[in-house]
């Protein structure tokens, strides 16, 4: 009998993950490596991704760490070239890099707005475009964008207009890229995490009131554990989702259901 779980494997494939220096990026990079992928770790904090690469290789997988600012074209071009030089292919891109800095919309400067969108939306497009150019040549590839539940609902009590706008942009960019590239061999989907402890959400989780707010508003009554994103990630990155493109997979404990 054929083993259906083998479709979740990524053996021999090369996966690039941005924002791999902390939080959810670390967990997702480890999951990709655990599924057999060669992982290319990209982030601005080089010491952290070098440490992660050593840990992954110590566990028997292959990893390459490369400093990369996703807002810079030359950095992204160098990232793609390094992945191809080291591993000979570029099969999966996980667009995970992002920033957030909550503040009321009436006080948010245009400079701040542009800085958030530059990383969270422009960077996603730039990485997707450059990786897709490689994937289109071989008519095969997968892009997984990490958006947010705040790309489909407002935050309100945690005011962050630029962040929600950027993630809403990622949601519809995912649909558009999926539609453009579907017949050319590239699948594009997105994960929409709810509330998970990470460097970006540390302020919420260090405050009892913030934790209570998350528990009260989430139907499952708790925040997520970062490892709970791995199932959605491996599904979308692998052949298990071979007939899935343009989809948003929410992993939010029911946050967007009510």
């Amino acid at each position: 009998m054929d083993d259906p779980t083998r479709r979740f494997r990524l053996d021999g494939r090369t996966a690039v993950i941005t924002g791999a220096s902390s939080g959810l990026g670390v967990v997702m990079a480890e999951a990709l490596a655990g599924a057999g992928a060669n992982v290319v770790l990209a982030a601005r904090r080089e010491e952290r991704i070098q440490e992660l690469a050593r840990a992954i290789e110590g566990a028997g997988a292959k990893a390459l760490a490369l400093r990369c600012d996703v807002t810079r074209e030359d950095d992204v071009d160098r990232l793609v070239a390094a992945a191809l030089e080291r591993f000979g292919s570029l099969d999966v891109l996980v667009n995970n890099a992002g920033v957030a800095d909550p503040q009321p919309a009436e006080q948010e400067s245009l400079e701040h707005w542009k800085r958030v969108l530059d990383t969270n939306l422009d960077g996603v497009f730039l990485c997707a475009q450059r990786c897709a150019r490689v994937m289109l040549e071989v008519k095969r590839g997968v892009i997984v964008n990490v958006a947010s539940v705040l790309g489909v609902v407002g935050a309100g009590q945690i005011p962050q207009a630029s962040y929600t706008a950027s993630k809403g942009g990622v949601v519809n960019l995912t649909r558009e890229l999926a539609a453009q590239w579907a017949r050319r061999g590239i699948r594009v989907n997105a994960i929409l995490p709810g509330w998970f402890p990470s460097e970006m959400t540390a302020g919420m989780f260090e405050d009892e009131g913030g934790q209570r707010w998350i528990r009260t508003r989430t139907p499952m009554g708790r925040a997520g554990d970062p490892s709970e994103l791995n199932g959605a990630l491996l599904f979308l990155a692998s052949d298990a989702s071979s007939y899935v493109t343009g989809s948003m997979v929410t992993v939010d404990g029911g946050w967007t259901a009510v």
Side-chain angles (χ1 to χ4, degrees), residues 127-169:
C127 291
Q129 181 193 65
R130 294 310 206 263
C131 289
R133 288 176 179 174
V134 174
M135 295 171 177
L136 288 168
E137 291 183 0
V138 296
K139 298 181 173 60
R140 184 186 69 255
V142 176
I143 296 173
V144 180
N145 296 324
V146 180
S148 168
V149 292
L150 298 184
V152 292
V153 298
Q157 292 173 285
I158 306 173
Q160 41 188 335
S162 54
Y163 182 82
T164 56
S166 69
K167 293 302 184 177

Side-chain angles (χ1 to χ4, degrees), residues 71-101:
T71 70
R72 296 180 57 88
E73 291 185 76
D74 54 347
D75 275 19
V76 175
D77 288 337
R78 186 167 61 252
L79 173 66
V80 171
L84 291 173
E85 181 180 358
R86 173 70 178 273
F87 297 117
S89 68
L90 200 170
D91 307 287
V92 179
L93 165 67
V94 180
N95 256 323
N96 175 65
V99 296
D101 181 17

